[in-house]
Amino acid sequence: MSLSFDPEFAQVFAAMAEAMAGATPPPVGDVAARRAMWEPIIGAASAAQPVPADVTTTEYYATADDGTKITMRWYAKTDAPTGPAALFFHGGGYIFGHIDLFDGPVARYVSASGVPMLSVEYRRAPEHSLPTPVEDAYTALRWLHEHAVQLAVARGARVIGTAGPANQEYVTSLGATALVYGEGLVERVRALAPNGVDAVLDAAGKGALEDSITLRGGTDRIVTTADFRARELGVVFAEGPARRSAARLAELARQAADGTLAITVGATYPLTDAAKAQQASDAGHSRGKLVRTVG
């Protein structure tokens, strides 16, 4: 009995087979030789099919904990319905490959599924040993979370953001539709989104999860970064890193100093007024950071 490949697979495999013809496996530990052998093969497979015309790409950069800038490429299908996004980390055993080699496959995934993807140029071994590649991946995940509103709006999603009366203009400046939180929130959100709410991100931790569950009709596609009751309610709680980075803090301070990063200070308190600062934080009505000064 004769067997044959699926025509689409055969088209891709033929390009790989041609690139692999006569290739000799490099010695164990010879990373440069493995890159020289495998990257052209991956590139041939990537280019074997056309890149969809209905997918756009945008370059972004995130700062890793050691201050290194990580390149990321955002892929989005034109006129696709809004929904979740995916992070893409290319293959290569942490030693070879880069995002340009996977341009074709990622664009085809996005075109076929409608799901946007963020491809990450993580640093590779042996120049950067573990856990650096994994930490770069986490940096990208953190960046995607922090920029959720802007990316969603850029895709054409309607984002409804809740805040106090003093912060309505700020929420609007991000591209979201601003609502004052409080009594009647569920009804007011439903008036703005009569066809339902697709997903909820809670960054306030002020008792919004019950309303979120009501709006979603369940606990799926709800994430909180601030409400510690999440697990008892069956909602996903997204935690930050276990350790803080002095290098990342220094980079953020530099960006704030040169105006690249805008940081809003809600109020400043001397150390003797630490209790008042805590009370203001617990109240949750201040936009921006609460700063305590020493000396």
Side-chain angles (χ1 to χ4, degrees):
M1 181 177 74
S2 62
L3 299 174
S4 60
F5 289 129
D6 175 88
E8 289 185 349
F9 174 79
Q11 179 185 7
V12 175
F13 184 74
M16 292 184 65
E18 182 178 350
M20 294 174 66
T24 302
V28 174
D30 191 340
V31 173
R34 290 184 183 278
R35 289 173 179 169
M37 182 184 80
W38 278 108
E39 290 186 351
I41 294 172
I42 296 172
S46 176
Q49 294 176 297
V51 175
D54 61 352
V55 174
T56 60
T57 62
T58 308
E59 301 288 302
Y60 292 104
Y61 303 91
T63 303
D65 286 346
D66 63 1
T68 301
K69 290 192 180 301
I70 308 300
T71 300
M72 305 173 298
R73 186 168 296 158
W74 176 251
Y75 297 76
K77 182 177 181 179
T78 304
D79 297 328
T82 58
L87 278 171
F88 180 83
F89 308 111
H90 66 76
Y94 292 114
I95 63 172
F96 59 79
H98 50 80
I99 59 175
D100 289 342
L101 283 179
F102 291 84
D103 239 356
V106 175
R108 289 189 285 271
Y109 294 153
V110 172
S111 179
S113 68
V115 177
M117 290 190 176
L118 186 68
S119 184
V120 183
E121 188 78 297
Y122 59 83
R123 287 169 287 179
R124 308 174 303 182
E127 294 86 351
H128 304 281
S129 60
L130 289 171
T132 297
V134 178
E135 290 177 341
D136 288 352
Y138 183 75
T139 295
L141 174 62
R142 187 169 56 197
W143 183 94
L144 186 57
H145 168 261
E146 293 170 351
H147 292 76
V149 171
Q150 293 94 322
L151 290 172
V153 171
R155 288 192 63 216
R158 185 180 190 184
V159 178
I160 300 172
T162 61
N167 294 322
Q168 296 293 293
E169 185 176 345
Y170 173 70
V171 172
T172 302
S173 73
L174 297 175
T177 300
L179 275 184
V180 176
Y181 51 68
E183 186 176 352
L185 178 63
V186 171
E187 290 72 22
R188 288 183 285 124
V189 170
R190 283 175 172 165
L192 289 173
N195 294 324
V197 174
D198 296 316
V200 177
L201 172 63
D202 167 44
K206 299 295 181 181
L209 290 185
E210 287 85 355
D211 285 348
S212 300
I213 293 170
T214 299
L215 288 166
R216 283 287 302 134
T219 58
D220 66 306
R221 301 189 74 182
I222 301 175
V223 176
T224 179
T225 61
D227 196 325
F228 295 104
R229 301 174 304 127
R231 289 184 177 87
E232 66 182 75
L233 294 173
V235 172
V236 173
F237 184 87
E239 300 181 79
R243 58 175 180 159
R244 303 297 175 180
S245 166
R248 179 169 172 77
L249 181 60
E251 171 64 13
L252 292 173
R254 183 195 64 75
Q255 292 178 4
D258 65 18
T260 304
L261 175 67
I263 297 179
T264 301
V265 176
T268 302
Y269 298 86
L271 190 58
T272 53
D273 287 341
K276 292 182 179 179
Q278 186 61 51
Q279 290 170 355
S281 177
D282 291 341
H285 296 297
S286 173
R287 174 167 63 88
K289 301 297 183 182
L290 300 178
V291 178
R292 281 181 282 184
T293 59
V294 179

